Amino acid sequence: MPAIRQRLGSRDLLEYDARYGVLICRECQYAIQKSALQSHLLRHKIYRLERQRLLSSIAELDLLEPDHVPLPTPTSSPIEALPTFSGYCCAAAGCGNLCVSSKRMKRHWSEIHGLSEPPPDFSSFARPVKLQTFFRGTKLRYFEVASSPAGTAGAARLAATDSDGGDEMHDEGHNEERHGHQSSDEQKNGEQWNDAGPSASPRVPTPLGAPSPSSLVDFDLETLTYFHHFITTTSLTLPGAENPQLITHYWKTDFVPQALRRRWLMCGLLAISTCHLAALADNTTIARVYCERSAQFLTGFCVGREETVQRDSGTVTTGVEEEAKAGRQVSCVLSFAHWALAELRLNLGITPEPAAPRQLQSIMTTIQSFEVAHSTRRPAGGSRRLESFANAKRILEMSSSLDAGSIGACSSSHNIPSALLDCLRTLPSRMAEMFGRPDSGRDVLATLSAIAALAECCETSFASDDVGPAWRGMAAWLTKVPDRFNQMVSRRSPAALVVLAHWAAWLVKRAEDCGCWFLKGTAKTILLQIAERLPADDRAVQTLLEGL
C-alpha cells in the first residue's frame, strides 16, 4: 500500500497524495489529470527512459478523475504542494461560495443574491478564508483550509488578493465556484501541449497565485542567453541562401520570427545554439551542461515537428511550406552537429540520442537536402553539363595563364591553391592511366562531369575565407553532379570514390576550417569511409589518393 504522500521522479517533481487520489506537480503547484501526464512530463524536459519509468510507476497509483476527487474539510491543514490563496467565503445562509477576491465576491452577491449595493461593512456578507485548489482550467474547484502558522512553508506561498489590483488575475482568468461546480470561463486547454503560436500555453505553467511585482518580469535567463548567442553568433556560422547577400538574412530575419511563433522551431534554434556553445567550450563541465541542454531541446524539436507534420498533412499554404522548410534546415544542421559532437559526448560519458548513422550516403544526403532547399539549380544534364565543362576549362586555363604571368587575367580562381588546380587539371588523365579502358561510356561522362563541377565549386569556395562561400562551394557540388555519378558512388565505383575523396579533402575540409563548426571531423570521416570501400591492395587506386 503506498504511503499517504509519495514523491516520484529524479527531482521529486511529482507528489502523489493517496488521501485525495491526486498527483501534484510540485513545480507547477497543481494536480495533473491522467490525460495530460505525457505532455506535462515533456514540458519539464523528462524524456524517454525516465518518462517511461515514471509513467509505469504512476500506472500503479489510484488516480481519480477531477470530478471524483474528495475535497479537504475547512479545518484541514493546507496541502504543502499547493499554493494557498487569501480569499472569501460567502456568509449568506446555505451558500458558502468561495472567491479569491473581494471584487469577485461583490459580483457574486450582485448576481446570485440580488444585492446591487453591498453594505459598507464587507465582513457582514463574507468572511476571510484561506483557499487552495487541486486543478486548473475547467476543473478548478476551490476549497477552504485552516490558516497556516506564521513562518511555515505554506505561509510563504500565500497570495494576497484583497486589493483591486490583485483581483484582476483571478477575476479574468478564474471564475470560481463552490465545491463541485465547474468554472465556465476557464481556458479549456490549460493541460495540453500547444504549438499554436504566441498564445500557446507556457512551457512551465504559472502557479495560480497572484504574482508579486517581481515575478511579473520573471523569465528564464539561461534560455535567453542561448537565444542571444544564436542571433549574435551562431546564425553567422550557419549555411544560408545561394545569394551571398542573403547569408545572414534567412537565419536572423526569416527563421527567428518563425521560431518565436512556433515552440518546436524555437527548440530547434536553442538546440543549435547550445550545440555551438558545446563545440566552443574549453571546459568539460560547461561542455557537459551544453550537451545536456542540446539533447533536451532536440527532443522538443523532434516531438513538435512530428506533431506538426501530422497536423498539417495534406495542407498546402505558404505558411505551412515555410515552416516545413525551416524544419528540414534545422534538422540538417542538428544532424551534423550531433555527428560533430559525438566524440565529445562520448568522452563526457553522455549517452547520445539516437540519430542517423554517420555513413557516407547519410552525410551526402544531408548536405544535399539542405542545399536543395536554398537553391533552384538542378543536377547536371544536357546544356548544364556543357556549361559546367566550359566553366571548368576557363578556370583551369586561367590558372595556367596566371602561373605563366599573363597580365590582365583576374578572377576569383587566383585564390585557389595551385596544388589543387594542378591536381584537378591532371586528374582525368591520371585516372585513365590507372584504371585503363572503362567499361561504360556513361560512367566516364558522369565522372568527367563531377570533376568539372568540382573545379566550378572550387572557384566559389575560395572566393573568400568566409563561411558562406566555403559552405556553398562544398554543398553545391552535390547538386551539380549527375544522378549517374551518385549511382556510381552507391555501387562503390573506384573512379567515383576517387573524385568524392578529392571533394572531401579540399572542399569539405575547407568548410570546416572556414567556420562550419558543425562539420567538424566530417572530411576525415568521409575519407576513412572511402578508404574502407576501396581495395586496400590496389596500388593504382591508392596512388590517386596520395596527398589528400
Side-chain angles (χ1 to χ4, degrees), residues 48-49 288 291-292 295 338 342 345-346 348-354:
R48 295 196 177 164
L49 294 178
R288 174 186 291 276
C291 285
E292 291 174 346
H338 180 92
R345 287 193 176 100
L346 188 61
L348 293 173
I350 298 174
T351 303
E353 294 284 317

